[in-house]
């Protein structure tokens, strides 16, 4: 399918909703087809994804412990009373949460509420989109001692990022996988791009745990030191396993 | 009887809202720009949640965030403050966070990047900022955001798109300035 400028205009406004998984399936599929044919829109989609992943790192901020304790003490002393002035609005919200009413969604039949897409799908899409966009990694470096600290500054884990002779390290970025930020570490083998995704094991319950093949891509998962890794590439399974071994047990 | 009512309310609080205290605090901080203000706002919002009766909300998180947001804007309109994040405070927070991490050049770069992101988000006009915070930090669905902000979903969509666009422009400009300076 060839992309035309008219398509770009039509789809540009929907890239954010696609990233948010809020498009109806048919519309999302049409938009993905367009992205596959249009590097400019694919780059735009990748940039939105990268920003979302960065913003997600701001989720770590917690409420101060002092506030928690003050609230606990305050709430113990406060007996519940009857309806508050906010009551009506709260009830409206309750109804909205149930999903029974369409909140001014007129004209947005393209919105869709079902969000779960499998993690495997997220991993493949993240890998493929970055390839297509050809954007440089957020940290472009072949040096373990630059890439690893960069990742640990953004994430609660510090995945292994060894330099290997056979698989040059290109750098890393953050990606949203299963709606949480994860490390995406980039390696190369001849002309094949490889993305090794990593996150804390306890956050990766839904991640693939067995090797699989999807759309010609291999997904190779493993766990080491409390970190879940999944390597994604169109490289053959044997060579991909070699990289996994190098990362698991870096050379002498 | 009052005792039983108190216990029931406490149970309801613990079950429904206590898990979302961090989210409420973050939203309040991004709206008021100050940790101290945010603590007051969250305290007020929690008191209201605690006193509320009636059916349980389907999304307790969206519900708590909605009263937190209202408490924040009420407070800001009273004090006439807001929309300004103290950069000093942001820098202090960042130093605190960084002190816990090992040192390296790349780490400094990551810290700077994170600081730039925080500043850019803080500089975003409030209507765009609250949409971006609710979606990209608190991970609410469009439908939940529409309920919290009391807006049509279409408006939520366009605010999100505009907010992210502005953030990206600010970050790109910052990166270009850094390159020129270096």
């Amino acid at each position: 399918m060839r992309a035309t400028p008219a398509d770009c205009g039509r789809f540009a406004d929907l890239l954010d909703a696609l990233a948010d998984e809020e498009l109806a399936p048919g519309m999302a599929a049409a938009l993905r087809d367009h992205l596959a044919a249009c590097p400019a829109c694919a780059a735009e989609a990748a940039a939105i994804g990268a920003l979302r992943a960065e913003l997600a790192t701001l989720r770590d901020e917690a409420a101060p412990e002092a506030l928690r304790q003050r609230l606990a003490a305050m709430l113990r002393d406060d007996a519940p009373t009857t309806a508050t002035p906010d009551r009506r609005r709260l009830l409206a919200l309750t109804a909205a949460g149930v999903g029974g009413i369409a909140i001014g969604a007129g004209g947005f039949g393209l919105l869709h509420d079902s969000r779960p897409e499998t993690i495997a799908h997220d991993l493949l899409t993240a890998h493929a989109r970055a390839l297509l966009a050809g954007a440089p990694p957020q940290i472009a470096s072949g040096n373990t001692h630059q890439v690893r600290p960069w990742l640990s500054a953004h994430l609660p884990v510090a995945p292994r990022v060894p330099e290997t002779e056979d698989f040059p390290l290109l750098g890393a970025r953050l990606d949203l996988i299963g709606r949480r930020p994860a490390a995406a570490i980039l390696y190369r083998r001849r002309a094949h791009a490889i993305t090794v995704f990593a996150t804390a094991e306890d956050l990766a319950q839904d991640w693939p745990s067995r090797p699989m093949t999807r759309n010609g891509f291999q997904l190779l998962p493993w766990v080491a030191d409390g970190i879940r890794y999944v390597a994604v590439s169109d490289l053959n399974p044997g060579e991909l396993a070699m990289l996994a071994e190098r990362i698991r047990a870096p050379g002498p | 009887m009052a005792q039983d009512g108190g216990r029931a309310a406490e149970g309801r609080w613990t079950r429904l809202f206590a898990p979302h205290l961090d989210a409420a605090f973050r939203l309040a901080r991004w709206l008021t720009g100050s940790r101290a203000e945010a603590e007051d706002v969250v305290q007020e919002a929690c008191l209201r949640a605690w006193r509320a009766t009636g059916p349980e909300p389907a999304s307790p998180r969206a519900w708590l965030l909605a009263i937190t947001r209202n408490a924040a804007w009420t407070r800001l309109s009273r004090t006439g403050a807001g929309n300004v994040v103290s950069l000093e405070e942001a820098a202090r927070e960042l130093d605190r966070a960084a002190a816990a991490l090992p040192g390296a050049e790349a780490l400094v770069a990551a810290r700077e990047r994170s600081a730039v992101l925080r500043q850019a988000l803080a500089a975003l006009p409030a209507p765009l900022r609250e949409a971006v915070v609710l979606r990209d930090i608190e991970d609410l669905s469009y439908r939940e955001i529409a309920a919290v902000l009391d807006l049509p979903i279409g408006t939520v969509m366009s605010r999100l798109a505009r907010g992210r666009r502005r953030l990206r422009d600010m970050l790109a400009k910052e990166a270009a300035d850094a390159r020129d300076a270096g």
Side-chain angles (χ1 to χ4, degrees), chain A residues 16 20 22 44 52 54 59 61 63 68 70 75 78 81 86 89-90 93 111 115 146 153, chain B residues 22 26 29 39 43 48 50-51 63 106-107 113 135-137 142 147-148 153 164-165 168:
Chain A
D16 287 274
D20 290 324
E22 295 265 3
E44 188 73 6
R52 278 186 28 78
E54 263 194 274
R59 263 176 224 168
E61 187 177 7
R68 244 173 239 289
R70 208 163 61 240
L75 297 181
D78 185 71
T81 56
D86 286 313
R89 193 171 140 59
L90 295 183
L93 267 174
L111 290 174
R115 328 173 74 187
Q146 291 182 342
Chain B
D22 289 340
R26 282 191 296 265
R29 210 193 62 79
E39 287 198 36
Q43 190 165 320
R48 287 201 221 167
W50 168 254
R51 287 175 177 165
W63 193 91
L107 189 61
R113 173 83 187 173
R135 176 63 206 146
D136 289 334
I137 301 182
Y142 283 10
V148 170
I153 287 187
R164 287 176 182 154
R165 180 79 250 170
R168 284 166 52 200

Side-chain angles (χ1 to χ4, degrees), chain B residues 33-102:
Chain B
S34 135
R35 286 175 73 88
E37 289 271 332
E39 287 198 36
D40 289 349
V41 164
V42 169
Q43 190 165 320
E44 202 176 312
C46 288
L47 202 59
R48 287 201 221 167
W50 168 254
R51 287 175 177 165
T53 55
E56 282 183 10
S59 171
R61 193 160 54 113
W63 193 91
L64 184 62
L65 291 178
I67 39 180
T68 300
R69 171 192 182 250
N70 289 348
W73 289 137
T74 306
R75 191 179 179 83
L76 291 177
S77 66
R78 246 195 338 257
T79 59
N83 209 359
V84 183
V85 163
S86 146
L87 293 185
E88 248 173 68
E89 187 175 36
R92 267 202 308 277
E93 265 176 52
L94 211 65
D95 285 343
R96 258 204 309 279
L101 295 162

Side-chain angles (χ1 to χ4, degrees), chain B residues 137-150:
Chain B
I137 301 182
E138 301 312 333
D139 203 24
L140 260 52
S141 70
Y142 283 10
R143 187 188 291 278
E144 287 172 324
I145 299 170
V148 170
L149 301 184
D150 205 9

Side-chain angles (χ1 to χ4, degrees), chain A residues 7-216:
Chain A
D7 284 339
C8 298
R10 191 155 63 88
F11 286 131
D13 295 342
L14 298 178
L15 289 174
D16 287 274
L18 181 75
D20 290 324
E21 291 172 25
E22 295 265 3
L23 284 182
M27 181 57 85
L31 186 43
R32 285 202 189 94
D33 283 349
H34 174 69
L35 292 184
C38 175
C41 287
E44 188 73 6
I48 292 171
L51 175 66
R52 278 186 28 78
E54 263 194 274
L55 285 166
T57 62
L58 301 179
R59 263 176 224 168
D60 291 340
E61 187 177 7
E65 191 49 41
L67 172 65
R68 244 173 239 289
Q69 288 172 7
R70 208 163 61 240
L71 275 173
M74 198 174 76
L75 297 181
R76 261 197 310 277
D77 297 342
D78 185 71
T81 56
T82 45
T84 69
D86 286 313
R87 180 77 185 284
R88 270 184 52 202
R89 193 171 140 59
L90 295 183
L91 287 177
L93 267 174
T94 309
V98 171
I101 59 173
I103 314 143
F108 281 94
L110 43 92
L111 290 174
H112 179 57
D113 215 20
S114 96
R115 328 173 74 187
E117 299 229 14
T118 65
I119 300 289
H121 174 90
D122 279 6
L123 296 169
L124 279 180
T125 317
H127 173 73
R129 188 161 292 160
L131 277 189
L132 190 64
Q138 285 170 301
I139 173 155
S141 163
N143 183 339
T144 298
H145 302 293
Q146 291 182 342
V147 176
R148 202 175 187 202
W150 186 88
L151 287 171
S152 71
H154 283 87
L155 295 166
V157 292
R160 308 190 69 114
V161 193
E163 297 164 34
T164 81
E165 261 180 42
D166 311 333
F167 299 86
L169 172 65
L170 305 181
R173 62 171 196 277
L174 300 178
D175 242 310
L176 269 194
I177 304 297
R179 331 186 72 202
R180 301 192 59 97
I185 306 147
L186 312 168
Y187 284 96
R188 188 163 51 75
R189 173 78 163 176
R190 299 185 303 276
H192 301 275
I194 306 158
T195 310
V196 178
F197 295 94
T199 192
E201 193 183 0
D202 52 350
L203 299 177
Q205 314 291 343
D206 307 329
W207 283 41
S209 54
R210 279 184 318 217
M212 51 170 92
T213 307
R214 292 289 136 85
N215 306 336

Side-chain angles (χ1 to χ4, degrees), chain A residues 51 55, chain B residues 30-31 73 83-85 117-133 136 159-170:
Chain A
L51 175 66
L55 285 166
Chain B
W30 281 113
L31 294 185
W73 289 137
N83 209 359
V84 183
V85 163
L117 178 69
R118 283 166 183 271
Q119 284 177 19
L121 183 56
L124 215 54
L128 306 185
R129 191 183 343 130
E130 59 184 0
V132 170
V133 168
D136 289 334
R159 284 191 186 176
L160 265 178
R162 272 160 54 212
R164 287 176 182 154
R165 180 79 250 170
R166 296 253 303 241
L167 277 177
R168 284 166 52 200
D169 289 347
M170 282 192 267

